[in-house]
Amino acid sequence: DAKTTQPNSMESNEEEPVHLPCNHSTISGTDYIHWYRQLPSQGPEYVIHGLTSNVNNRMASLAIAEDRKSSTLILHRATLRDAAVYYCILRDRGSQGNLIFGKGTKLSVKP
Amino acid sequence: GAGVSQSPRYKVAKRGQDVALRCDPISGHVSLFWYQQALGQGPEFLTYFQNEAQLDKSGLPSDRFFAERPEGSVSTLKIQRTQQEDSAVYLCASSLTEFREQYFGPGTRLTVT
């Protein structure tokens, strides 16, 4: 699976939007972009995924660059509960299903 | 509905002891994964089951690690003769099929003294 690059940490204020970037310049045509997050002392949880088009769900939005070499996870209104480590992961549909995590971005949310 | 559960949540073992960590996946989920997470790091893949078949165990760090899922549901990760470097959080995840989103349990924190 191709590698991703994320900032180590980011800060946000409560109730403001948060844009979490991810670079994946070596992405292949069959790689899906997945985001998981891990709240303190919990297992990771699925957030969203996409291939080419932007995606929205109840948790977040995923904006994918036209060349697919980068993407951005958007939390529209950060809450204190969104403080977590966010992982951007590439998954090739043709490969085995295990996730390859990097170090992720630790998001802090200030009240 | 019930999520993935793991037991025990915390385990302290003396070096050289054997431990067994249990994972109860979501009912009906075909795929089951084990991951190991060291402090400050992202989870790392250990092994993968599709039903009762262990299709990949390439991430197991040594032959002291053994996993099974005999009836395609509950899975057990066993570590023999534990070493200090085995101290970590062990996470279990299940998914409906191989490529669907994975649901993680809370993990078992293993401390080897």
Side-chain angles (χ1 to χ4, degrees):
Chain A
D1 290 321
K3 294 205 169 155
T4 62
T5 305
Q6 300 177 252
N8 289 334
S9 61
M10 289 185 64
E11 270 193 359
S12 171
N13 294 316
E14 197 176 11
E15 298 190 3
E16 289 186 356
V18 183
H19 291 233
L20 296 159
C22 181
N23 286 322
H24 29 78
S25 58
T26 59
I27 191 170
S28 75
T30 53
D31 282 331
Y32 284 72
I33 302 159
H34 288 245
W35 284 82
Y36 281 74
R37 72 178 185 181
Q38 188 171 22
L39 279 63
S41 301
Q42 294 188 27
E45 66 173 338
Y46 168 80
V47 178
I48 199 167
H49 77 279
L51 182 63
T52 55
S53 304
N54 294 344
V55 184
N56 299 296
N57 67 20
R58 62 174 182 81
M59 287 183 72
S61 296
L62 176 60
I64 301 173
E66 201 168 325
D67 64 4
R68 303 211 322 128
K69 293 184 184 301
S70 66
S71 60
T72 303
L73 179 70
I74 303 166
L75 307 179
H76 296 286
R77 286 182 73 230
T79 69
L80 297 178
R81 197 195 168 276
D82 292 320
V85 177
Y86 287 77
Y87 296 99
C88 170
I89 299 167
L90 300 184
R91 297 183 79 188
D92 184 338
R93 183 87 193 198
S95 70
Q96 186 178 282
N98 59 283
L99 300 170
I100 300 176
F101 291 83
K103 290 195 171 183
T105 296
K106 184 174 183 178
L107 174 67
S108 302
V109 180
K110 295 183 290 184
Chain B
V4 177
S5 61
Q6 292 186 246
S7 60
R9 289 293 313 277
Y10 303 91
K11 176 70 179 177
V12 178
K14 291 189 175 168
R15 198 168 69 173
Q17 280 185 333
D18 297 348
V19 298
L21 313 179
R22 177 187 169 109
C23 172
D24 284 80
I26 293 173
S27 177
H29 278 196
V30 168
S31 300
L32 186 144
F33 302 84
W34 283 97
Y35 296 85
Q36 179 189 59
Q37 186 170 26
L39 196 62
Q41 305 295 315
E44 290 193 358
F45 168 73
L46 292 177
T47 187
Y48 161 61
F49 289 86
Q50 185 171 310
N51 294 309
E52 69 279 2
Q54 188 175 20
L55 297 187
D56 188 342
K57 51 184 181 180
S58 64
L60 296 176
S62 78
D63 58 9
R64 295 184 296 102
F65 286 70
F66 170 77
E68 60 183 4
R69 193 186 184 197
E71 296 177 0
S73 178
V74 171
S75 177
T76 303
L77 176 67
K78 297 179 180 177
I79 309 173
Q80 297 176 323
R81 303 181 304 281
T82 52
Q83 304 293 314
Q84 278 195 313
E85 61 263 28
D86 300 335
S87 295
V89 175
Y90 291 86
L91 294 160
C92 173
S94 71
S95 62
L96 196 56
T97 60
E98 184 180 25
F99 204 74
R100 295 288 296 273
E101 61 268 26
Q102 295 183 18
Y103 293 84
F104 284 78
T108 294
R109 180 177 296 279
L110 172 66
T111 303
V112 181
T113 60

